[in-house]
Amino acid sequence: MTIFNRNDNKPADSKLSAIDALQTPKPTEQPRPQAYAQPLSPPAKTGASMASVISKALKITGQLESTEDIQIDGEIDGDVRGVGVKIGNNAKVKGTVYGDEVELAGTIDGRIEAKKVILTGTARMSGDVSHQDIKIESGAFIDGNLKPDFGKTAGSKPTVAPFKPVAAVAPATPDKSAEARH
Amino acid sequence: MGLSMFALSRRSDARFAPARSSAELPPSFLGSGIRVRGVLEIEGELTIQGFVAGRIAALKLIIAPGGRVEGDIVAREVVVSGNLNGRIFAPNVTVEETAHIDGRIFHNTITVARGAHFDGRMPWRPVNFFETLDQLPETQP
């Protein structure tokens, strides 16, 4: 045991002293740590309160529904249901967009059914709009009927309705969906 | 020329390169209140905190804690911290400790954290398996 101790201690000591000798003059040369007014890296995003973002690289074929806001910059082939739905400049939606508030700067080929509808100057709307409140900026393209009948007719559905099955879903997915199990 | 070079280099080190072009494209995020049914195709990064039923093709896919996916995933890199019922086809797979997976993971390199729930098989495949994946009939919708 003592042998091991002796052998262990010797090189360790000599190493340590060598390191000490090297390091002792250094601390005085090192720059003093500076205080930063702001943290160096931004705080991590908290996912819980974030709205959904469908970026321009994303293409969805199917249905999409959310109890939160949705920002769409990509391409959607199907219906969209959300609370606040923003459809960005280069976005394309083929289908019906339901929501409390729908802001369109891109293209919709289908319908809008929303309480409040905003069509910006770059909007391209092919289809009917059912609304309560609408704002149309100069430059917007509309090919369809505008009817202020949202919530009045039997045809307009509630904002969030249950899923309908879609044929495009992969066959590997069993049809027992999450709702059935949880 | 430049394009073909890029495609070639991307292919050769597909195994180790993190999803490279995801930095150029803004990542997509599906929040906890969202439910999607259908086919999702993305050329960049996708984070899922909500519920997705269907097929997903992405460069990098992250199933966040609380996220739930039912269906097949084809990607270069997959990180699972949430629920998955289906198959993964990806050369790089990470299964975090909060993950709950039922299904198969076709992988080339995989990390499984202690505490993860995994029920199924994880077959190893060579890198070139994932390059021809788009043509496989079983990964088609």
Side-chain angles (χ1 to χ4, degrees), chain A residues 52-53 55 59 61 63 65 67, chain B residues 28-29 31 35 37 39 41:
Chain A
S52 298
V53 179
S55 75
K59 185 179 183 232
T61 311
Q63 286 174 321
E65 70 171 56
T67 52
Chain B
S28 288
F29 179 80
R35 292 171 2 133
R37 176 161 289 204
V39 179
E41 286 169 55

Side-chain angles (χ1 to χ4, degrees), chain A residues 47-48 50-68 163-166 168-179 181-182, chain B residues 24-46 49 51 53-55 57 68 70-72 83 85 87 102 140-141:
Chain A
M50 260 176 75
S52 298
V53 179
I54 289 152
S55 75
K56 65 179 178 192
L58 179 57
K59 185 179 183 232
I60 296 178
T61 311
Q63 286 174 321
L64 201 153
E65 70 171 56
S66 178
T67 52
E68 301 165 341
F163 269 133
K164 281 173 264 166
V166 167
V169 173
T173 313
D175 219 344
K176 41 162 184 149
S177 49
E179 306 90 84
R181 302 173 98 210
H182 290 279
Chain B
E24 299 146 23
L25 297 161
S28 288
F29 179 80
L30 299 178
S32 54
I34 209 164
R35 292 171 2 133
V36 182
R37 176 161 289 204
V39 179
L40 281 72
E41 286 169 55
I42 178 163
E43 288 149 27
E45 189 181 314
L46 173 65
Q49 220 173 47
F51 171 67
R55 197 173 66 97
R68 181 173 174 79
E70 295 197 358
D72 288 356
N83 274 5
N85 189 346
R87 296 181 298 177
D102 285 337
Q140 292 298 308

Side-chain angles (χ1 to χ4, degrees), chain A residues 3-182:
Chain A
I3 299 167
F4 287 126
N5 282 341
R6 219 186 291 152
N7 282 349
D8 278 347
N9 286 341
K10 247 195 175 175
D13 278 348
S14 61
K15 248 184 213 168
L16 270 178
S17 59
I19 289 166
D20 279 348
L22 278 171
Q23 280 187 342
T24 33
K26 270 190 182 167
T28 50
E29 291 163 17
Q30 276 172 358
R32 299 166 80 189
Q34 293 190 358
Y36 292 94
Q38 285 178 339
L40 287 169
S41 58
K45 283 184 254 177
T46 49
S49 61
M50 260 176 75
S52 298
V53 179
I54 289 152
S55 75
K56 65 179 178 192
L58 179 57
K59 185 179 183 232
I60 296 178
T61 311
Q63 286 174 321
L64 201 153
E65 70 171 56
S66 178
T67 52
E68 301 165 341
D69 294 354
I70 314 176
Q71 166 82 40
I72 299 170
D73 293 315
E75 206 173 312
I76 294 179
D77 209 337
D79 294 353
V80 179
R81 292 168 194 274
V83 180
V85 183
K86 273 191 182 179
I87 298 168
N89 228 329
N90 293 311
K92 270 185 201 165
V93 176
K94 253 188 196 175
T96 308
V97 179
Y98 304 87
D100 279 348
E101 190 177 328
V102 173
E103 190 180 324
L104 174 64
T107 307
I108 292 184
D109 199 347
R111 279 178 67 81
I112 297 179
E113 292 194 18
K115 206 186 261 180
K116 195 174 169 190
V117 177
I118 299 169
L119 301 178
T120 68
T122 54
R124 241 190 115 78
M125 176 68 212
S126 309
D128 297 352
V129 179
S130 167
H131 62 273
Q132 269 181 14
D133 185 286
I134 193 164
K135 176 184 170 184
I136 303 171
E137 288 174 12
S138 151
F141 172 94
I142 305 165
D143 181 8
N145 297 318
L146 308 180
K147 280 194 179 171
D149 60 357
F150 179 75
K152 288 175 190 167
T153 57
S156 46
K157 295 158 199 165
T159 309
V160 172
F163 269 133
K164 281 173 264 166
V166 167
V169 173
T173 313
D175 219 344
K176 41 162 184 149
S177 49
E179 306 90 84
R181 302 173 98 210
H182 290 279

Side-chain angles (χ1 to χ4, degrees), chain B:
Chain B
M1 176 65 187
L3 205 83
S4 63
M5 266 177 67
F6 176 62
L8 230 150
S9 68
R10 231 177 88 173
R11 175 167 288 212
S12 61
D13 55 8
R15 180 178 154 185
F16 299 106
R20 194 179 304 168
S21 53
S22 69
E24 299 146 23
L25 297 161
S28 288
F29 179 80
L30 299 178
S32 54
I34 209 164
R35 292 171 2 133
V36 182
R37 176 161 289 204
V39 179
L40 281 72
E41 286 169 55
I42 178 163
E43 288 149 27
E45 189 181 314
L46 173 65
T47 304
I48 297 172
Q49 220 173 47
F51 171 67
V52 175
R55 197 173 66 97
I56 301 169
L59 218 54
K60 181 176 180 182
L61 179 80
I62 300 166
I63 303 176
R68 181 173 174 79
V69 174
E70 295 197 358
D72 288 356
I73 295 163
V74 178
R76 292 254 300 282
E77 191 177 347
V78 177
V79 180
V80 183
S81 311
N83 274 5
L84 169 70
N85 189 346
R87 296 181 298 177
I88 295 175
F89 300 85
N92 289 307
V93 180
T94 308
V95 180
E96 304 285 5
E97 58 181 18
T98 52
H100 187 117
I101 300 176
D102 285 337
R104 280 187 201 180
I105 302 176
F106 293 85
H107 69 278
N108 189 266
T109 54
I110 189 165
T111 310
V112 181
R114 186 190 181 91
H117 177 115
F118 176 71
D119 186 2
R121 292 169 55 197
M122 24 189 179
W124 182 89
R125 290 289 182 272
V127 175
N128 60 13
F129 170 81
F130 301 98
E131 286 170 6
T132 56
L133 211 56
D134 295 339
Q135 286 107 54
L136 284 184
E138 56 180 351
T139 63
Q140 292 298 308

